[in-house]
Amino acid sequence: MSDHPISWHGKRVFLTGHTGFKGGWLALWLAKLGADVRGYALDPSTDPNLFTVARIGSVVEDIRGDIRDPAALESAMQSFAPEVVFHMAAQPLVRASYDDPIGTYETNVIGTARVLDSVRRTPSVRAVVSVTTDKCYENKEWVWGYRESDPLGGYDPYSSSKACAELVSAAYRQSYFPVAHLAQHKVALATARAGNVIGGGDWSQDRLLPDLVRGFLAGEPVPIRRPFAIRPWQHVLEPLRGYIRLAEQLLSTNPEQAARFATAYNFGPHDDDAKPVGWIVDKMTSFWGDGANWFIDEQEHVHEAGYLKLDASKARADLGWIPHLRLETALEWLVQWYRAWQAETDMHAFTLAQIDAYEALL
Ligand SMILES: NC(=O)c1ccc[n+]([C@@H]2O[C@H](COP(=O)([O-])OP(=O)(O)OC[C@H]3O[C@@H](n4cnc5c(N)ncnc54)[C@H](O)[C@@H]3O)[C@@H](O)[C@H]2O)c1
């Protein structure tokens, strides 16, 4: 039985951030489902990068542009006449946000407003999924997972910019796409808050798994900043399936049904998979082998949350979404991905094979 209540075949999808880690995986998955995808993003920010390594450009239309450039963005969206918009483009790194707070706010807050404003003037759009993060909540350093109804906040510029992006989305929904009048304006807008996403194809700086893989490949011990910090780790395919499911509900032809889902959703792992950094590092060292090694970096670091968990009960109840990969398996898949890349495997085919393997679990 298909996991999808609607057919994606021929659906026109406008995806911001397709040159990034999550966007690359989503582009490939949507294309595999038969969607007609136009990506809009800056050039890949790392070398290597998933976009090039997995030849994402071979299955999606690749437009390079800035979400802060209203004319270019609007023209790229309007000329494509998409039915669905996934908004993922962002400056997504906490530490980079300390170095460039203004750029982070411009991209994550104004950029989100620009995307939603373009949606206002693109009459074909029916569903919008705007991607924020687990870090958009006011962090109370408590043991419970945050719920969608908890206060937004954010200590550092990245986290607070994503909380702002949530507020921008909520304001656009209430002002221009109100759920009570969905039958008239026809746009169902939701936001999605995922956990700490891991998987093959991420080469970002100052993210735990890419830092580990880089160090292991170079044969150098990896400095670890916060071995006791707890994060809701999850394989990239888990939240992506959540975003796809959410879009499928937003696309419902019954406006009352679509309106039910035009809200915020958390997509987090099983409670047991919110693990300390040190646990991940130990598992990775043993899965990688080859003398992989690490040490605790004792330098002063910028503030980052110590304890962060997400409660995904709402996604489970409304969307029937549950995680399918335990963290240990997610790490194995990640190691297999980078090992395959190291062995010069065809990474387009390998990435698709991991999507196949994930779909087989559903
Ligand atoms: N990776 C995670 O752990 C994680 C967790 C929760 C949420 N998120 C969110 O998921 C989304 C994707 O994250 P990622 O990890 O794939 O990041 P990434 O850095 O790999 O990709 C970011 C994408 O955004 C594009 N981009 C950045 N600034 C832009 C601009 N001004 N105009 C146009 N495009 C721009 C980049 O070109 C790239 O395509 C982000 O919104 C991020 O905040 C990521």
Side-chain angles (χ1 to χ4, degrees), residues 163-299:
C164 295
E166 284 283 346
L167 294 174
V168 166
S169 299
Y172 265 77
R173 182 168 47 233
Q174 283 159 149
S175 307
Y176 306 109
F177 318 123
V179 288
H181 302 298
L182 210 141
Q184 284 82 53
H185 60 74
K186 298 193 172 64
V187 180
L189 161 62
T191 58
R193 308 163 179 175
N196 268 53
V197 179
I198 63 173
D202 190 2
W203 278 276
S204 304
Q205 287 294 335
D206 294 324
R207 271 189 186 157
L208 178 62
L209 276 307
D211 285 350
L212 285 170
V213 170
R214 244 188 310 275
F216 294 170
L217 283 168
E220 289 165 4
V222 182
I224 296 299
R225 295 195 295 272
R226 290 184 174 78
F228 303 110
I230 292 188
R231 294 283 181 276
W233 312 96
Q234 58 186 167
H235 192 272
V236 59
L237 291 171
E238 304 269 38
L240 295 189
R241 175 163 168 274
Y243 304 164
I244 291 173
R245 279 220 148 185
L246 183 51
E248 289 168 347
Q249 297 303 333
L250 297 172
L251 281 170
S252 168
T253 47
N254 174 347
E256 277 174 32
Q257 174 72 2
R260 271 189 56 211
F261 298 91
T263 173
Y265 282 95
N266 287 344
F267 296 100
H270 289 296
D271 205 44
D272 293 350
D273 282 340
K275 292 277 195 216
V277 165
W279 186 93
I280 300 268
V281 174
D282 280 338
K283 285 278 173 219
M284 278 295 287
T285 346
S286 87
F287 289 157
W288 193 271
D290 271 358
N293 208 351
W294 61 283
F295 65 95
I296 294 180
D297 181 353
E298 305 279 6
Q299 289 177 55

Side-chain angles (χ1 to χ4, degrees), residues 16-24 40-46 64-69 73 87-93 103 106-108 111 130-135 158 162 192-198 201-204 207 233-234 236 239 243:
T16 70
H18 68 297
T19 58
F21 163 53
K22 286 170 72 175
Y40 183 93
L42 299 177
D43 294 339
S45 59
T46 60
R64 300 296 166 88
D66 197 316
I67 54 169
R68 295 165 295 182
D69 177 345
L73 174 65
H87 172 42
M88 290 194 148
Q91 191 303 93
L93 303 171
E106 280 174 352
T107 292
N108 296 358
S130 182
V131 170
T132 67
T133 175
D134 52 351
K135 299 187 178 65
Y158 169 67
K162 284 291 186 168
R193 308 163 179 175
N196 268 53
V197 179
I198 63 173
D202 190 2
W203 278 276
S204 304
R207 271 189 186 157
W233 312 96
Q234 58 186 167
V236 59
Y243 304 164

